[in-house]
Amino acid sequence: MNQKEKASLVPITGRDMLTLFDYSTEEIKGLLRFAAYLKKNPYEPLLQGKSLGMIFENASTRTRVSFEVGMTQLGGHALFLSPRDMQIGRGEPIKDTAKVLSRFLDAIMIRTNSHEKVAELSEHASIPVINALTDSYHPCQALADMLTIEEHKGSLDNLKVTYVGDGNNVAHSLFIACAKLGLDFSIATPEGYEPDDKIWERAKKIAEDNGATFTLTHDPVETVTDADVVYTDVWASMGYEEEQEKRMKAFQNYQITNDLCSHAKDDYLFLHCLPAHRGEEVAAEVIDGPHSVVYDEAENRLHVQKAILASVIQ
């Protein structure tokens, strides 16, 4: 694939990937087209000789493996960078780390708690920065979700996506993607676990401008009724493990079961970003059942992240 062919698939060059708010509808559609192409053509040497630094402050399976394999398949190289082995773990300012890594690498991928840390890294780096998860956003996951839905439904038009559970980073990026692409979205959370107000209102306005409806409720049945997609995540994400017992009580009526999903459309899809806790946020009969596409969803992290990498690295 030459640069002209690449440009026909994805209209993005040399950009950070911090949140999907920063991308237009057409740019997101372009990334999905590019990911679908790379899924069929996995060994395009688009990043030959390029290097990606991967900073992980949190544990990871899918994110680390998909980014590392993705760089290899694109002809590049990925370096795993643990804060325990870097000066940033001993108090070096983010500014210094960003400026030095920019002299060595072609892009930085970071998985951390604080979104402000990612923003600061981006501010001082002269190379693209990719947000691989923060407490506020998970854009790579949301793009993989959209690719999975599109593959199984044939189109993203006229669909209702629903989310039941914690209004967390995964929920945020999922409904931002839905807003940008014009998908109807409904979320049900326990009281006190709603998504961030500012993120929700900003996404809702974008959705309305794109002709989509956004609904926030505390009733899982209301949310799932007539859904094309049912999505959930763990009840206690990384960093909230000490709240496990409290959250188990708060979320006890929010488990995804066959009974709850009987209110969705007959051909609904079940999605989960993984890892999953069977018997907590989702019943085994659902995640291991015929409507579940969680392993396709996990695989699509690879293809989407390759599209991101080949788009932002020049």
Side-chain angles (χ1 to χ4, degrees):
M1 177 192 291
N2 58 37
Q3 287 297 319
K4 184 177 180 181
E5 290 171 326
K6 187 173 91 167
S8 70
L9 284 169
V10 55
I12 304 170
T13 56
R15 301 259 309 276
D16 288 342
M17 168 62 77
L18 303 188
T19 88
L20 294 179
F21 278 135
D22 302 326
Y23 285 76
S24 70
T25 296
E26 284 308 311
E27 287 173 331
I28 292 172
K29 288 181 177 179
L31 278 173
L32 296 177
R33 285 194 302 271
F34 199 13
Y37 171 86
L38 292 171
K39 188 169 184 175
K40 295 178 180 177
N41 303 273
Y43 296 103
E44 290 277 5
L46 297 169
L47 298 180
Q48 202 155 10
K50 304 292 186 177
S51 295
L52 171 72
M54 306 189 304
I55 302 174
F56 282 94
E57 294 190 340
N58 291 320
S60 171
T61 298
R62 282 151 291 277
T63 298
R64 177 178 177 180
V65 174
S66 55
F67 268 108
E68 193 160 340
V69 170
M71 279 298 290
T72 299
Q73 291 185 354
L74 291 169
H77 175 65
L79 299 89
F80 176 77
L81 303 173
S82 167
R84 294 187 301 273
D85 304 321
M86 299 171 63
Q87 296 302 331
I88 196 172
R90 299 177 61 240
E92 179 176 67
I94 292 174
K95 174 182 177 179
D96 291 353
T97 297
K99 288 184 176 295
V100 170
L101 290 182
S102 295
R103 304 291 182 101
F104 299 144
L105 303 168
D106 297 287
I108 301 169
M109 180 234 80
I110 181 169
R111 184 184 182 107
T112 185
N113 292 325
S114 169
H115 190 74
E116 289 70 28
K117 183 178 291 187
V118 176
E120 185 178 356
L121 187 69
S122 171
E123 178 185 354
H124 295 291
S126 59
I127 56 176
V129 172
I130 300 169
N131 174 9
L133 177 144
T134 65
D135 283 351
S136 298
Y137 302 100
H138 200 353
C140 299
Q141 179 65 56
L143 290 172
D145 300 336
M146 293 299 110
L147 180 62
T148 306
I149 295 167
E150 188 172 39
E151 286 178 339
H152 285 270
K153 291 297 185 182
S155 169
L156 293 174
D157 296 336
N158 304 312
L159 296 179
K160 177 184 177 182
V161 175
T162 61
Y163 180 98
V164 177
D166 188 20
N168 60 12
N169 51 0
V170 171
H172 289 165
S173 287
L174 178 67
F175 66 65
I176 295 169
C178 288
K180 291 282 187 173
L181 295 169
L183 282 72
D184 292 336
F185 182 83
S186 181
I187 181 171
T189 73
E191 292 189 22
Y193 295 92
E194 298 87 351
D196 179 273
D197 285 343
K198 291 182 180 179
I199 297 174
W200 173 258
E201 291 301 326
R202 184 179 176 186
K204 186 177 180 181
K205 177 63 168 60
I206 294 169
E208 291 170 350
D209 290 344
N210 287 328
T213 61
F214 263 38
T215 305
L216 172 60
T217 179
H218 301 299
D219 183 350
V221 172
E222 177 186 343
T223 285
V224 168
T225 297
D226 295 326
D228 296 284
V229 178
V230 178
Y231 200 124
T232 194
D233 189 11
V234 295
W235 290 342
S237 299
M238 285 184 293
Y240 294 93
E241 290 86 356
E242 73 281 358
E243 298 181 10
Q244 180 71 25
E245 186 175 345
K246 175 185 174 183
R247 285 172 173 259
M248 287 288 285
K249 293 178 181 177
F251 286 86
Q252 61 183 337
N253 295 321
Y254 289 80
Q255 186 184 86
I256 305 298
T257 62
N258 276 343
D259 183 57
L260 177 61
C261 292
S262 68
H263 299 279
K265 291 182 179 176
D266 291 341
D267 62 346
Y268 82 91
L269 302 177
F270 173 73
L271 273 69
H272 191 304
C273 60
L274 302 181
H277 298 156
R278 289 165 175 80
E280 290 185 17
E281 74 273 7
V282 60
E285 63 192 8
V286 175
I287 193 170
D288 298 320
H291 294 276
S292 176
V293 292
V294 297
Y295 300 121
D296 292 343
E297 180 187 8
E299 179 194 337
N300 281 336
R301 290 288 303 281
L302 170 64
H303 311 302
V304 158
Q305 279 149 201
K306 286 170 67 178
I308 293 169
L309 289 165
S311 301
V312 303
I313 297 176
Q314 301 303 300

